[in-house]
């Protein structure tokens, strides 16, 4: 029986149209450009424009179409769609189904669709699921959309969190390749994931879930709110430790070292976290992709957006080893190693 590997065939970007600079933020919250840049490396972030009809699913579909075009695959060929997000358009219908609808119109088709929430680790978790769908022979062509609209769950009066996040969506198309091609094909080589359970007091969005629904007294009294609350310093330390550890583990599993890695693409939460993880993972900064300055933290979007930008910019060459590394609410974290397989931009 044939056995399969998952090849990452194409990537795409969904770019929200509004730009919010640090100077813009300083007009309505007590902060300044210098503080934000030195503590986080962020200069500006993108925000969704609802008046223009933008939504997570619409941006996801735009990103998906670009990824499909690059992969030379038609939307009709997809047999699974996973949307990785903590901020879906609506609780129902799910955003993966909405994305498929944007791509194909109102159809009834044999396509697996599901939303997956692993907070900022979502896109890597989605790639992991897609990889295992493909390796098991269940699916052949899988779309993974990673993105978040954190502007919808930010307290814009809280300067400790509102400066950090932005909106953004990226997409990737994965395709099954037969085992025989795996030594040279652009495949996912390995992944390692972890969870810090019961750390919810460090990073949370408490209100609006079923524990404190919008209709509850706790929500109405504003004790539990549908906005991010965070202990930044604790999150910082945990992110550095666990991202570096998973990067080492996934390389060791696959028999490679950091010297073999052409690009390290970490979760883009804060430039200081990126630099610290790179140091701990022994990765020189000239091989680390950074775009947090232009996007802020787009949660499940960060690595998906980064890969799409890198492909657009022709930075990824055939055969490059690319190490992805994430950390997010939950806490969830993980690293994945893949071999890039195309020079196409
Ligand atoms: C949030 C973060 C940037 C704060 O940086 P920090 O160096 O830890 O700063 P502190 O929280 O110690 O705050 C230092 C001072 O700046 C102030 N401050 C906080 N936010 C500020 C802002 N936006 N503008 C100006 N001053 C600010 C604080 O009130 C504090 O003032 P004080 O010394 O008078 O009490 C940093 O902890 C971080 O990035 N953590 C990780 C967060 C993250 O990435 N979360 C998502 C992970 S998926």
């Amino acid at each position: 029986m044939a056995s399969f590997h998952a090849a990452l065939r194409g990537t795409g970007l969904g770019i929200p149209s509004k730009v919010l600079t640090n100077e813009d933020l300083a007009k309505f919250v007590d902060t300044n450009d210098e503080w934000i840049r030195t503590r986080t490396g962020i200069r500006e972030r993108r925000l969704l424009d609802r008046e223009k009809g933008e939504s997570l699913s619409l941006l996801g579909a735009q990103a998906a179409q670009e990824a499909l075009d690059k992969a030379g695959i038609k939307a009709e060929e997809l047999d699974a769609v996973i949307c990785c997000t903590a901020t879906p358009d609506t609780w129902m219908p799910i955003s993966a189904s909405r994305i498929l609808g944007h791509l194909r119109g109102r159809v009834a088709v044999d396509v697996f669709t599901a939303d997956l929430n692993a907070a900022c680790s979502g896109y890597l978790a989605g790639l992991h699921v897609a990889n295992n769908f493909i390796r098991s022979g269940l699916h052949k062509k899988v779309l993974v959309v990673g993105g978040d609209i954190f502007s919808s769950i930010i307290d814009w009066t809280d300067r400790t969190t509102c400066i950090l996040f932005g909106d953004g969506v990226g997409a990737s198309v994965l395709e099954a390749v037969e085992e025989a091609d795996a030594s040279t094909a652009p495949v996912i080589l390995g992944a390692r994931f972890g969870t810090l359970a019961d750390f919810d007091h460090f990073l949370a969005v408490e209100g609006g879930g079923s524990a404190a629904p919008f209709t509850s007294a706790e929500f109405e009294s504003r004790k539990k709110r549908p906005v991010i609350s965070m202990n930044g310093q604790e999150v910082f330390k945990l992110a550095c430790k666990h991202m570096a550890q998973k990067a080492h583990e996934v390389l060791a599993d696959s028999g490679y070292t950091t010297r073999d890695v052409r690009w390290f693409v970490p979760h883009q939460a804060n430039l200081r976290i990126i630099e610290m993880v790179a140091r701990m993972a022994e990765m020189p900064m000239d091989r680390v992709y950074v775009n947090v300055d232009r996007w802020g933290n787009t949660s499940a979007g960060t690595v998906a957006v980064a890969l799409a930008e890198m492909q657009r910019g022709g930075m990824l060459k055939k055969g490059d080893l690319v190490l992805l590394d994430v950390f997010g609410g939950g806490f969830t974290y993980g690293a994945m190693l893949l071999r890039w397989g195309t020079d196409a931009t």
Side-chain angles (χ1 to χ4, degrees):
M1 201 175 83
S3 78
F4 298 100
H5 284 263
L8 207 164
R9 292 294 195 210
T11 62
L13 263 181
I15 310 179
S17 54
K18 281 193 207 162
V19 176
L20 186 74
T21 65
N22 293 346
E23 287 83 3
D24 295 333
L25 268 168
K27 288 179 192 149
F28 60 85
V29 69
D30 181 16
T31 190
N32 59 76
D33 175 56
E34 211 251 325
W35 193 97
I36 300 173
R37 267 192 297 107
T38 49
R39 303 278 175 141
T40 71
I42 300 167
R43 285 188 289 116
E44 62 186 34
R45 68 287 290 142
R46 296 224 157 229
L47 302 184
L48 196 83
D49 191 339
R50 282 188 191 78
E51 283 172 19
K52 289 191 178 154
E54 290 174 357
S55 64
L56 174 89
S57 66
L58 194 68
L59 295 170
Q62 286 165 4
Q65 192 56 61
E66 181 184 347
L68 287 163
D69 292 344
K70 288 202 168 110
I73 291 173
K74 292 192 174 61
E76 290 73 19
E77 296 174 63
L78 291 170
D79 55 7
V81 176
I82 303 168
C83 179
C84 314
T85 188
T87 49
D89 289 0
T90 51
W91 298 119
M92 280 186 282
I94 63 165
S95 296
S97 150
R98 280 178 177 258
I99 289 168
L100 190 64
H102 289 309
L103 292 170
R104 296 195 54 183
R106 184 171 286 176
V107 286
V109 282
D110 291 335
V111 177
F112 170 91
T113 56
D115 286 2
L116 187 162
N117 180 2
C120 298
S121 305
Y123 170 67
L124 224 60
L127 287 185
H128 185 56
V129 171
N131 184 32
N132 285 293
F133 274 171
I134 287 173
R135 295 204 63 166
S136 69
L138 271 179
H139 295 285
K140 294 280 186 293
K141 290 172 185 166
V142 184
L143 171 67
V144 178
V145 174
D148 269 303
I149 308 301
F150 265 29
S151 60
S152 64
I153 51 166
I154 280 170
D155 176 352
W156 290 102
T157 64
D158 177 5
R159 69 177 183 172
T160 66
T161 53
C162 75
I163 57 152
L164 295 172
F165 298 96
D167 302 338
V169 187
S172 303
V173 173
L174 288 89
E175 185 177 22
V177 292
E178 294 218 19
E179 177 82 64
D181 298 329
S183 58
T184 51
V187 295
I188 293 176
L189 298 165
R192 280 278 196 132
F193 288 88
T195 299
L196 284 170
D198 206 16
F199 280 69
D200 51 351
H201 48 296
F202 287 155
L203 179 59
V205 178
E206 291 190 287
S210 57
F214 296 115
T215 47
S216 66
E218 272 183 309
F219 182 82
E220 301 232 323
S221 68
R222 295 171 69 84
K223 255 200 242 156
K224 306 265 183 187
R225 303 177 60 210
V227 291
I228 294 175
S229 60
M230 184 180 68
N231 180 329
Q233 291 188 355
E234 292 301 333
V235 176
F236 193 109
K237 284 184 269 182
L238 291 170
C240 293
K241 178 178 164 196
H242 292 285
M243 286 174 72
Q245 194 180 333
K246 290 296 158 205
H248 280 300
E249 284 174 12
V250 80
L251 283 172
D253 285 350
S254 346
Y256 291 104
T257 71
T258 45
R259 277 190 297 279
D260 301 311
V261 174
R262 176 63 191 92
W263 287 111
F264 181 48
V265 186
H267 176 45
Q268 309 281 317
N270 177 324
L271 182 60
R272 284 158 61 216
I273 295 180
I274 294 171
E275 288 173 343
M276 178 71 82
V277 173
R279 201 172 315 134
M280 291 166 81
E282 295 153 32
M283 193 70 62
M285 281 306 287
D286 61 359
R287 285 191 270 140
V288 180
Y289 189 72
V290 176
N291 67 7
V292 71
D293 53 326
R294 290 175 288 113
W295 288 87
N297 180 349
T298 59
S299 181
T302 59
V303 172
V305 164
L307 282 180
E309 281 190 340
M310 293 170 82
Q311 186 174 17
R312 274 189 182 188
M315 297 170 72
L316 295 162
K317 303 289 180 215
K318 202 168 179 175
D320 282 352
L321 283 191
V322 184
L323 178 60
L324 315 177
D325 201 4
V326 293
F327 185 89
F331 289 103
T332 54
Y333 46 92
M336 178 176 278
L337 186 67
L338 55 93
R339 189 190 300 108
W340 197 255
T342 171
D343 287 326
T345 55

